[in-house]
Amino acid sequence: MSDLLFDTSNKHQLALNVLLVFAYLGLNSVLNLTNKWALGVYGFSFPLLLTTCHMAFSCCVLLPFMLREPFRSKHRPTIEKQWKGLVAIGIYMAANVSLNNLSLVLITLSLNQVIRSAIPVCTATLAIFIENKVPTGEEALGLVVLTLGVMVAVWEGSVSGSVTGLLLCCAGTVCNAAMMSTAGKVMSEKVDVLRLTFYTAPVSCAVLLPLFLVRERQRFQIYYTQNSTAVLLVLLCSSIVALSYNVIHSLMIQKTSAVTTTVLGEVKIVGLLILSALLLGEKKAFTLKMTVGVTLAMVGFCMYSHTKLKNRPQLAKAHAAAKPGITKQDIEEGQPLMPDQEQQLTARVHHT
């Protein structure tokens, strides 16, 4: 996994990476709008069922590809080596969705967004333990400023809700961060984005399906008898968008890092606030508080980006130095290069 997303040495790759960022931000927005429309405006108030269908659809669509080479021969060694991480990602994803939806029943959407704005800081903190990635002081400061800016920008000025809802939202935020950092760890050990989606989707389904049966099944049976055709259309369209987003999201983590991906998500929120004020005639709603928040967020983003760009030459050298000593045997599926193996390879190269 590399943080060299905007490396200008390869123009063709740079163009592809820029398209990847726009695809990530675009699909993120489309998925959010689709889910908001389905769950809110349209009245399909079954978030557990919706997410379960998203996961099941992903698994079914990817299954024909996974049964063919080059994927088929990689399943057993991958699962044997990475099953703990794959199960953890699936559970974290299901917990994130469930806890977040439950919190929205007990606290306001504004408070929910303020808490979840802390995802970059949570991800960076968990990455220290999960990925062994320690952020520099400048990166940490940039993340804190960015997070505070987004919190100020999205906060509507009132705090209402129960302590239980607050704790549920915090737990969901931590699960989201843990999912992203664990995904980064698993993909750094030679698991591609398609297999990651394919392996984790059934785990999430196994967790979410019992919750749906307990909390939503009876209401859904009544709803389905009255809206059978429309329900299938909503589930199909949202599942296509969700699969596309999940693949692009995992690819973003692989190309950059879990923390950088969350930073881009925060910038998207700020960008939507600015665009709504400029294009949708909502300038009156853009208060002084929002202006301060957006300014802080952009300063934090610039600080984080500047640090990443400043460290890019060192990352490029480290990435280039890691290539010569790796043999074909070392890149076999599920066999990450360990420090002692690297020393042995280096010694072999010097001996020859």
mmCIF file of all heavy atoms in Angstrom, residues 175-220:
data_model
loop_
_atom_site.group_PDB
_atom_site.id
_atom_site.type_symbol
_atom_site.label_atom_id
_atom_site.label_comp_id
_atom_site.label_asym_id
_atom_site.label_seq_id
_atom_site.Cartn_x
_atom_site.Cartn_y
_atom_site.Cartn_z
ATOM 1 N N CYS A 175 -15.812 1.494 15.455
ATOM 2 C CA CYS A 175 -15.894 0.321 14.579
ATOM 3 C C CYS A 175 -15.583 0.686 13.129
ATOM 4 O O CYS A 175 -14.918 -0.078 12.412
ATOM 5 C CB CYS A 175 -17.294 -0.299 14.662
ATOM 6 S SG CYS A 175 -17.612 -1.179 16.195
ATOM 7 N N ASN A 176 -16.052 1.851 12.680
ATOM 8 C CA ASN A 176 -15.741 2.320 11.333
ATOM 9 C C ASN A 176 -14.242 2.500 11.154
ATOM 10 O O ASN A 176 -13.656 2.059 10.159
ATOM 11 C CB ASN A 176 -16.472 3.635 11.074
ATOM 12 C CG ASN A 176 -16.401 4.070 9.622
ATOM 13 O OD1 ASN A 176 -15.341 4.081 9.013
ATOM 14 N ND2 ASN A 176 -17.536 4.459 9.066
ATOM 15 N N ALA A 177 -13.608 3.148 12.122
ATOM 16 C CA ALA A 177 -12.162 3.366 12.061
ATOM 17 C C ALA A 177 -11.399 2.046 12.098
ATOM 18 O O ALA A 177 -10.430 1.849 11.346
ATOM 19 C CB ALA A 177 -11.726 4.262 13.220
ATOM 20 N N ALA A 178 -11.846 1.127 12.960
ATOM 21 C CA ALA A 178 -11.181 -0.181 13.060
ATOM 22 C C ALA A 178 -11.329 -0.964 11.758
ATOM 23 O O ALA A 178 -10.389 -1.642 11.317
ATOM 24 C CB ALA A 178 -11.765 -0.970 14.224
ATOM 25 N N MET A 179 -12.508 -0.873 11.132
ATOM 26 C CA MET A 179 -12.719 -1.551 9.857
ATOM 27 C C MET A 179 -11.754 -1.049 8.795
ATOM 28 O O MET A 179 -11.127 -1.844 8.075
ATOM 29 C CB MET A 179 -14.161 -1.316 9.395
ATOM 30 C CG MET A 179 -14.480 -1.887 8.020
ATOM 31 S SD MET A 179 -16.042 -1.270 7.365
ATOM 32 C CE MET A 179 -15.640 0.448 7.020
ATOM 33 N N MET A 180 -11.590 0.263 8.692
ATOM 34 C CA MET A 180 -10.729 0.833 7.659
ATOM 35 C C MET A 180 -9.267 0.501 7.901
ATOM 36 O O MET A 180 -8.529 0.152 6.978
ATOM 37 C CB MET A 180 -10.940 2.344 7.589
ATOM 38 C CG MET A 180 -12.348 2.738 7.193
ATOM 39 S SD MET A 180 -12.527 4.483 6.843
ATOM 40 C CE MET A 180 -11.549 4.647 5.374
ATOM 41 N N SER A 181 -8.827 0.594 9.149
ATOM 42 C CA SER A 181 -7.428 0.303 9.450
ATOM 43 C C SER A 181 -7.123 -1.182 9.252
ATOM 44 O O SER A 181 -6.056 -1.541 8.727
ATOM 45 C CB SER A 181 -7.102 0.722 10.887
ATOM 46 O OG SER A 181 -5.731 0.581 11.150
ATOM 47 N N THR A 182 -8.050 -2.044 9.654
ATOM 48 C CA THR A 182 -7.848 -3.482 9.454
ATOM 49 C C THR A 182 -7.837 -3.828 7.974
ATOM 50 O O THR A 182 -7.052 -4.681 7.534
ATOM 51 C CB THR A 182 -8.951 -4.284 10.176
ATOM 52 O OG1 THR A 182 -9.014 -3.896 11.548
ATOM 53 C CG2 THR A 182 -8.665 -5.778 10.108
ATOM 54 N N ALA A 183 -8.697 -3.178 7.189
ATOM 55 C CA ALA A 183 -8.698 -3.393 5.739
ATOM 56 C C ALA A 183 -7.357 -2.983 5.134
ATOM 57 O O ALA A 183 -6.814 -3.666 4.258
ATOM 58 C CB ALA A 183 -9.834 -2.613 5.094
ATOM 59 N N GLY A 184 -6.815 -1.862 5.605
ATOM 60 C CA GLY A 184 -5.500 -1.442 5.131
ATOM 61 C C GLY A 184 -4.432 -2.457 5.461
ATOM 62 O O GLY A 184 -3.546 -2.751 4.645
ATOM 63 N N LYS A 185 -4.493 -3.027 6.659
ATOM 64 C CA LYS A 185 -3.529 -4.044 7.077
ATOM 65 C C LYS A 185 -3.640 -5.295 6.220
ATOM 66 O O LYS A 185 -2.632 -5.846 5.750
ATOM 67 C CB LYS A 185 -3.771 -4.385 8.545
ATOM 68 C CG LYS A 185 -2.917 -5.523 9.092
ATOM 69 C CD LYS A 185 -1.450 -5.156 9.134
ATOM 70 C CE LYS A 185 -0.654 -6.255 9.818
ATOM 71 N NZ LYS A 185 0.805 -5.935 9.814
ATOM 72 N N VAL A 186 -4.870 -5.765 5.989
ATOM 73 C CA VAL A 186 -5.077 -6.989 5.208
ATOM 74 C C VAL A 186 -4.627 -6.798 3.763
ATOM 75 O O VAL A 186 -3.963 -7.662 3.183
ATOM 76 C CB VAL A 186 -6.563 -7.417 5.258
ATOM 77 C CG1 VAL A 186 -6.860 -8.524 4.250
ATOM 78 C CG2 VAL A 186 -6.921 -7.888 6.665
ATOM 79 N N MET A 187 -4.972 -5.655 3.155
ATOM 80 C CA MET A 187 -4.588 -5.423 1.761
ATOM 81 C C MET A 187 -3.089 -5.203 1.598
ATOM 82 O O MET A 187 -2.536 -5.436 0.525
ATOM 83 C CB MET A 187 -5.379 -4.240 1.191
ATOM 84 C CG MET A 187 -6.823 -4.585 0.884
ATOM 85 S SD MET A 187 -7.686 -3.320 -0.070
ATOM 86 C CE MET A 187 -7.789 -2.011 1.146
ATOM 87 N N SER A 188 -2.420 -4.752 2.658
ATOM 88 C CA SER A 188 -0.971 -4.608 2.573
ATOM 89 C C SER A 188 -0.276 -5.962 2.501
ATOM 90 O O SER A 188 0.886 -6.050 2.139
ATOM 91 C CB SER A 188 -0.449 -3.826 3.787
ATOM 92 O OG SER A 188 -0.526 -4.613 4.964
ATOM 93 N N GLU A 189 -1.008 -7.025 2.830
ATOM 94 C CA GLU A 189 -0.455 -8.375 2.793
ATOM 95 C C GLU A 189 -1.027 -9.153 1.607
ATOM 96 O O GLU A 189 -1.395 -10.313 1.706
ATOM 97 C CB GLU A 189 -0.726 -9.083 4.129
ATOM 98 C CG GLU A 189 -0.052 -8.350 5.295
ATOM 99 C CD GLU A 189 -0.263 -9.023 6.634
ATOM 100 O OE1 GLU A 189 -1.026 -10.012 6.693
ATOM 101 O OE2 GLU A 189 0.333 -8.565 7.621
ATOM 102 N N LYS A 190 -1.131 -8.451 0.470
ATOM 103 C CA LYS A 190 -1.401 -9.038 -0.837
ATOM 104 C C LYS A 190 -2.795 -9.636 -0.999
ATOM 105 O O LYS A 190 -2.981 -10.682 -1.602
ATOM 106 C CB LYS A 190 -0.336 -10.094 -1.158
ATOM 107 C CG LYS A 190 1.091 -9.551 -1.035
ATOM 108 C CD LYS A 190 2.117 -10.640 -1.219
ATOM 109 C CE LYS A 190 3.500 -10.079 -0.965
ATOM 110 N NZ LYS A 190 3.724 -9.755 0.447
ATOM 111 N N VAL A 191 -3.811 -8.944 -0.458
ATOM 112 C CA VAL A 191 -5.205 -9.282 -0.727
ATOM 113 C C VAL A 191 -5.803 -8.146 -1.542
ATOM 114 O O VAL A 191 -5.813 -7.001 -1.084
ATOM 115 C CB VAL A 191 -6.001 -9.488 0.575
ATOM 116 C CG1 VAL A 191 -7.470 -9.768 0.254
ATOM 117 C CG2 VAL A 191 -5.412 -10.630 1.390
ATOM 118 N N ASP A 192 -6.288 -8.438 -2.759
ATOM 119 C CA ASP A 192 -6.794 -7.376 -3.621
ATOM 120 C C ASP A 192 -8.202 -6.964 -3.200
ATOM 121 O O ASP A 192 -8.856 -7.610 -2.372
ATOM 122 C CB ASP A 192 -6.775 -7.826 -5.084
ATOM 123 C CG ASP A 192 -7.618 -9.069 -5.305
ATOM 124 O OD1 ASP A 192 -8.853 -8.964 -5.290
ATOM 125 O OD2 ASP A 192 -7.031 -10.162 -5.484
ATOM 126 N N VAL A 193 -8.675 -5.867 -3.791
ATOM 127 C CA VAL A 193 -9.935 -5.261 -3.343
ATOM 128 C C VAL A 193 -11.153 -6.133 -3.650
ATOM 129 O O VAL A 193 -12.119 -6.150 -2.873
ATOM 130 C CB VAL A 193 -10.115 -3.863 -3.979
ATOM 131 C CG1 VAL A 193 -9.052 -2.910 -3.479
ATOM 132 C CG2 VAL A 193 -10.090 -3.931 -5.504
ATOM 133 N N LEU A 194 -11.127 -6.873 -4.763
ATOM 134 C CA LEU A 194 -12.274 -7.712 -5.104
ATOM 135 C C LEU A 194 -12.425 -8.866 -4.124
ATOM 136 O O LEU A 194 -13.528 -9.164 -3.654
ATOM 137 C CB LEU A 194 -12.132 -8.241 -6.539
ATOM 138 C CG LEU A 194 -12.231 -7.205 -7.655
ATOM 139 C CD1 LEU A 194 -12.056 -7.868 -9.014
ATOM 140 C CD2 LEU A 194 -13.561 -6.468 -7.601
ATOM 141 N N ARG A 195 -11.309 -9.505 -3.808
ATOM 142 C CA ARG A 195 -11.391 -10.610 -2.849
ATOM 143 C C ARG A 195 -11.721 -10.103 -1.450
ATOM 144 O O ARG A 195 -12.425 -10.779 -0.689
ATOM 145 C CB ARG A 195 -10.080 -11.402 -2.839
ATOM 146 C CG ARG A 195 -9.967 -12.361 -4.032
ATOM 147 C CD ARG A 195 -8.691 -13.160 -3.986
ATOM 148 N NE ARG A 195 -7.535 -12.289 -4.109
ATOM 149 C CZ ARG A 195 -6.390 -12.493 -3.467
ATOM 150 N NH1 ARG A 195 -6.271 -13.478 -2.608
ATOM 151 N NH2 ARG A 195 -5.376 -11.680 -3.658
ATOM 152 N N LEU A 196 -11.224 -8.932 -1.092
ATOM 153 C CA LEU A 196 -11.563 -8.375 0.212
ATOM 154 C C LEU A 196 -13.074 -8.174 0.330
ATOM 155 O O LEU A 196 -13.690 -8.542 1.346
ATOM 156 C CB LEU A 196 -10.841 -7.043 0.414
ATOM 157 C CG LEU A 196 -11.124 -6.335 1.746
ATOM 158 C CD1 LEU A 196 -10.503 -7.102 2.897
ATOM 159 C CD2 LEU A 196 -10.600 -4.905 1.723
ATOM 160 N N THR A 197 -13.689 -7.612 -0.711
ATOM 161 C CA THR A 197 -15.140 -7.412 -0.712
ATOM 162 C C THR A 197 -15.878 -8.743 -0.678
ATOM 163 O O THR A 197 -16.860 -8.906 0.053
ATOM 164 C CB THR A 197 -15.563 -6.611 -1.954
ATOM 165 O OG1 THR A 197 -14.845 -5.377 -2.007
ATOM 166 C CG2 THR A 197 -17.054 -6.330 -1.941
ATOM 167 N N PHE A 198 -15.401 -9.704 -1.452
ATOM 168 C CA PHE A 198 -16.046 -11.016 -1.540
ATOM 169 C C PHE A 198 -15.975 -11.776 -0.218
ATOM 170 O O PHE A 198 -16.955 -12.426 0.187
ATOM 171 C CB PHE A 198 -15.383 -11.833 -2.649
ATOM 172 C CG PHE A 198 -15.958 -13.208 -2.827
ATOM 173 C CD1 PHE A 198 -17.226 -13.379 -3.369
ATOM 174 C CD2 PHE A 198 -15.239 -14.332 -2.451
ATOM 175 C CE1 PHE A 198 -17.758 -14.651 -3.538
ATOM 176 C CE2 PHE A 198 -15.763 -15.602 -2.614
ATOM 177 C CZ PHE A 198 -17.029 -15.760 -3.155
ATOM 178 N N TYR A 199 -14.845 -11.701 0.464
ATOM 179 C CA TYR A 199 -14.671 -12.460 1.708
ATOM 180 C C TYR A 199 -15.423 -11.835 2.890
ATOM 181 O O TYR A 199 -15.920 -12.551 3.755
ATOM 182 C CB TYR A 199 -13.187 -12.552 2.072
ATOM 183 C CG TYR A 199 -12.331 -13.317 1.087
ATOM 184 C CD1 TYR A 199 -11.010 -12.950 0.866
ATOM 185 C CD2 TYR A 199 -12.833 -14.399 0.378
ATOM 186 C CE1 TYR A 199 -10.211 -13.638 -0.034
ATOM 187 C CE2 TYR A 199 -12.046 -15.090 -0.528
ATOM 188 C CZ TYR A 199 -10.723 -14.703 -0.733
ATOM 189 O OH TYR A 199 -9.946 -15.392 -1.624
ATOM 190 N N THR A 200 -15.471 -10.515 2.927
ATOM 191 C CA THR A 200 -16.060 -9.851 4.101
ATOM 192 C C THR A 200 -17.583 -9.715 4.014
ATOM 193 O O THR A 200 -18.245 -9.622 5.049
ATOM 194 C CB THR A 200 -15.446 -8.458 4.291
ATOM 195 O OG1 THR A 200 -15.610 -7.676 3.094
ATOM 196 C CG2 THR A 200 -13.958 -8.560 4.607
ATOM 197 N N ALA A 201 -18.135 -9.718 2.796
ATOM 198 C CA ALA A 201 -19.582 -9.544 2.636
ATOM 199 C C ALA A 201 -20.390 -10.637 3.351
ATOM 200 O O ALA A 201 -21.361 -10.324 4.054
ATOM 201 C CB ALA A 201 -19.950 -9.484 1.156
ATOM 202 N N PRO A 202 -20.044 -11.926 3.213
ATOM 203 C CA PRO A 202 -20.819 -12.957 3.924
ATOM 204 C C PRO A 202 -20.761 -12.814 5.444
ATOM 205 O O PRO A 202 -21.736 -13.126 6.130
ATOM 206 C CB PRO A 202 -20.161 -14.270 3.471
ATOM 207 C CG PRO A 202 -19.491 -13.948 2.186
ATOM 208 C CD PRO A 202 -19.033 -12.537 2.325
ATOM 209 N N VAL A 203 -19.625 -12.353 5.966
ATOM 210 C CA VAL A 203 -19.503 -12.155 7.412
ATOM 211 C C VAL A 203 -20.474 -11.082 7.879
ATOM 212 O O VAL A 203 -21.188 -11.250 8.884
ATOM 213 C CB VAL A 203 -18.054 -11.778 7.791
ATOM 214 C CG1 VAL A 203 -17.943 -11.540 9.300
ATOM 215 C CG2 VAL A 203 -17.082 -12.861 7.354
ATOM 216 N N SER A 204 -20.511 -9.966 7.146
ATOM 217 C CA SER A 204 -21.446 -8.895 7.496
ATOM 218 C C SER A 204 -22.890 -9.368 7.403
ATOM 219 O O SER A 204 -23.728 -9.031 8.253
ATOM 220 C CB SER A 204 -21.225 -7.687 6.576
ATOM 221 O OG SER A 204 -19.936 -7.141 6.742
ATOM 222 N N CYS A 205 -23.198 -10.158 6.378
ATOM 223 C CA CYS A 205 -24.554 -10.703 6.233
ATOM 224 C C CYS A 205 -24.921 -11.575 7.424
ATOM 225 O O CYS A 205 -26.047 -11.504 7.938
ATOM 226 C CB CYS A 205 -24.653 -11.528 4.949
ATOM 227 S SG CYS A 205 -24.862 -10.558 3.453
ATOM 228 N N ALA A 206 -23.977 -12.406 7.862
ATOM 229 C CA ALA A 206 -24.237 -13.319 8.977
ATOM 230 C C ALA A 206 -24.526 -12.551 10.265
ATOM 231 O O ALA A 206 -25.293 -13.021 11.120
ATOM 232 C CB ALA A 206 -23.051 -14.259 9.176
ATOM 233 N N VAL A 207 -23.916 -11.378 10.412
ATOM 234 C CA VAL A 207 -24.147 -10.557 11.606
ATOM 235 C C VAL A 207 -25.447 -9.774 11.491
ATOM 236 O O VAL A 207 -26.219 -9.666 12.454
ATOM 237 C CB VAL A 207 -22.960 -9.600 11.837
ATOM 238 C CG1 VAL A 207 -23.242 -8.675 13.024
ATOM 239 C CG2 VAL A 207 -21.680 -10.386 12.076
ATOM 240 N N LEU A 208 -25.714 -9.222 10.308
ATOM 241 C CA LEU A 208 -26.860 -8.333 10.133
ATOM 242 C C LEU A 208 -28.191 -9.067 9.985
ATOM 243 O O LEU A 208 -29.234 -8.556 10.408
ATOM 244 C CB LEU A 208 -26.645 -7.446 8.900
ATOM 245 C CG LEU A 208 -25.555 -6.383 9.019
ATOM 246 C CD1 LEU A 208 -25.279 -5.754 7.655
ATOM 247 C CD2 LEU A 208 -25.969 -5.311 10.023
ATOM 248 N N LEU A 209 -28.171 -10.255 9.377
ATOM 249 C CA LEU A 209 -29.425 -10.966 9.110
ATOM 250 C C LEU A 209 -30.215 -11.273 10.384
ATOM 251 O O LEU A 209 -31.439 -11.030 10.422
ATOM 252 C CB LEU A 209 -29.144 -12.249 8.322
ATOM 253 C CG LEU A 209 -30.372 -13.030 7.855
ATOM 254 C CD1 LEU A 209 -31.255 -12.149 6.977
ATOM 255 C CD2 LEU A 209 -29.958 -14.293 7.093
ATOM 256 N N PRO A 210 -29.594 -11.809 11.446
ATOM 257 C CA PRO A 210 -30.379 -12.039 12.683
ATOM 258 C C PRO A 210 -30.956 -10.746 13.258
ATOM 259 O O PRO A 210 -32.074 -10.744 13.797
ATOM 260 C CB PRO A 210 -29.352 -12.658 13.641
ATOM 261 C CG PRO A 210 -28.297 -13.241 12.756
ATOM 262 C CD PRO A 210 -28.224 -12.319 11.583
ATOM 263 N N LEU A 211 -30.202 -9.643 13.154
ATOM 264 C CA LEU A 211 -30.703 -8.362 13.650
ATOM 265 C C LEU A 211 -31.926 -7.911 12.848
ATOM 266 O O LEU A 211 -32.892 -7.371 13.413
ATOM 267 C CB LEU A 211 -29.600 -7.301 13.580
ATOM 268 C CG LEU A 211 -28.363 -7.553 14.443
ATOM 269 C CD1 LEU A 211 -27.308 -6.487 14.179
ATOM 270 C CD2 LEU A 211 -28.745 -7.569 15.917
ATOM 271 N N PHE A 212 -31.881 -8.132 11.538
ATOM 272 C CA PHE A 212 -33.042 -7.794 10.697
ATOM 273 C C PHE A 212 -34.259 -8.629 11.091
ATOM 274 O O PHE A 212 -35.382 -8.102 11.202
ATOM 275 C CB PHE A 212 -32.710 -8.029 9.222
ATOM 276 C CG PHE A 212 -33.918 -8.204 8.354
ATOM 277 C CD1 PHE A 212 -34.746 -7.131 8.056
ATOM 278 C CD2 PHE A 212 -34.256 -9.464 7.846
ATOM 279 C CE1 PHE A 212 -35.876 -7.304 7.274
ATOM 280 C CE2 PHE A 212 -35.379 -9.633 7.067
ATOM 281 C CZ PHE A 212 -36.197 -8.555 6.778
ATOM 282 N N LEU A 213 -34.041 -9.923 11.316
ATOM 283 C CA LEU A 213 -35.158 -10.803 11.659
ATOM 284 C C LEU A 213 -35.819 -10.392 12.975
ATOM 285 O O LEU A 213 -37.035 -10.521 13.132
ATOM 286 C CB LEU A 213 -34.663 -12.253 11.749
ATOM 287 C CG LEU A 213 -34.186 -12.872 10.430
ATOM 288 C CD1 LEU A 213 -33.624 -14.265 10.664
ATOM 289 C CD2 LEU A 213 -35.310 -12.913 9.399
ATOM 290 N N VAL A 214 -35.024 -9.886 13.896
ATOM 291 C CA VAL A 214 -35.554 -9.498 15.199
ATOM 292 C C VAL A 214 -36.220 -8.119 15.151
ATOM 293 O O VAL A 214 -37.311 -7.920 15.696
ATOM 294 C CB VAL A 214 -34.435 -9.509 16.266
ATOM 295 C CG1 VAL A 214 -34.932 -8.921 17.590
ATOM 296 C CG2 VAL A 214 -33.929 -10.924 16.481
ATOM 297 N N ARG A 215 -35.600 -7.161 14.463
ATOM 298 C CA ARG A 215 -36.016 -5.759 14.548
ATOM 299 C C ARG A 215 -36.919 -5.291 13.397
ATOM 300 O O ARG A 215 -37.718 -4.371 13.570
ATOM 301 C CB ARG A 215 -34.797 -4.843 14.627
ATOM 302 C CG ARG A 215 -33.957 -5.032 15.881
ATOM 303 C CD ARG A 215 -32.836 -4.006 15.924
ATOM 304 N NE ARG A 215 -33.357 -2.654 15.939
ATOM 305 C CZ ARG A 215 -33.704 -1.993 17.043
ATOM 306 N NH1 ARG A 215 -33.602 -2.586 18.223
ATOM 307 N NH2 ARG A 215 -34.160 -0.756 16.973
ATOM 308 N N GLU A 216 -36.773 -5.874 12.209
ATOM 309 C CA GLU A 216 -37.447 -5.303 11.042
ATOM 310 C C GLU A 216 -38.348 -6.265 10.279
ATOM 311 O O GLU A 216 -39.132 -5.825 9.434
ATOM 312 C CB GLU A 216 -36.391 -4.737 10.069
ATOM 313 C CG GLU A 216 -35.538 -3.626 10.635
ATOM 314 C CD GLU A 216 -34.488 -3.136 9.662
ATOM 315 O OE1 GLU A 216 -34.327 -3.765 8.588
ATOM 316 O OE2 GLU A 216 -33.815 -2.138 9.961
ATOM 317 N N ARG A 217 -38.266 -7.560 10.528
ATOM 318 C CA ARG A 217 -38.945 -8.540 9.677
ATOM 319 C C ARG A 217 -40.456 -8.340 9.625
ATOM 320 O O ARG A 217 -41.056 -8.324 8.546
ATOM 321 C CB ARG A 217 -38.632 -9.954 10.157
ATOM 322 C CG ARG A 217 -39.303 -11.052 9.324
ATOM 323 C CD ARG A 217 -38.870 -12.423 9.802
ATOM 324 N NE ARG A 217 -39.272 -12.638 11.180
ATOM 325 C CZ ARG A 217 -40.455 -13.121 11.558
ATOM 326 N NH1 ARG A 217 -41.374 -13.429 10.639
ATOM 327 N NH2 ARG A 217 -40.744 -13.307 12.828
ATOM 328 N N GLN A 218 -41.092 -8.184 10.762
ATOM 329 C CA GLN A 218 -42.548 -8.067 10.783
ATOM 330 C C GLN A 218 -43.036 -6.821 10.057
ATOM 331 O O GLN A 218 -43.986 -6.870 9.266
ATOM 332 C CB GLN A 218 -43.042 -8.064 12.231
ATOM 333 C CG GLN A 218 -42.841 -9.401 12.946
ATOM 334 C CD GLN A 218 -43.405 -9.391 14.358
ATOM 335 O OE1 GLN A 218 -43.728 -8.335 14.902
ATOM 336 N NE2 GLN A 218 -43.522 -10.568 14.961
ATOM 337 N N ARG A 219 -42.369 -5.701 10.295
ATOM 338 C CA ARG A 219 -42.749 -4.461 9.605
ATOM 339 C C ARG A 219 -42.516 -4.579 8.107
ATOM 340 O O ARG A 219 -43.299 -4.076 7.290
ATOM 341 C CB ARG A 219 -41.972 -3.271 10.157
ATOM 342 C CG ARG A 219 -42.370 -2.845 11.551
ATOM 343 C CD ARG A 219 -41.749 -1.505 11.927
ATOM 344 N NE ARG A 219 -40.306 -1.537 11.918
ATOM 345 C CZ ARG A 219 -39.544 -0.882 11.052
ATOM 346 N NH1 ARG A 219 -40.090 -0.140 10.097
ATOM 347 N NH2 ARG A 219 -38.221 -0.954 11.121
ATOM 348 N N PHE A 220 -41.427 -5.247 7.718
ATOM 349 C CA PHE A 220 -41.113 -5.375 6.304
ATOM 350 C C PHE A 220 -42.129 -6.253 5.579
ATOM 351 O O PHE A 220 -42.467 -5.980 4.410
ATOM 352 C CB PHE A 220 -39.711 -5.953 6.117
ATOM 353 C CG PHE A 220 -39.347 -6.181 4.677
ATOM 354 C CD1 PHE A 220 -39.096 -5.107 3.836
ATOM 355 C CD2 PHE A 220 -39.291 -7.470 4.152
ATOM 356 C CE1 PHE A 220 -38.783 -5.316 2.494
ATOM 357 C CE2 PHE A 220 -38.981 -7.679 2.822
ATOM 358 C CZ PHE A 220 -38.723 -6.604 1.995
#
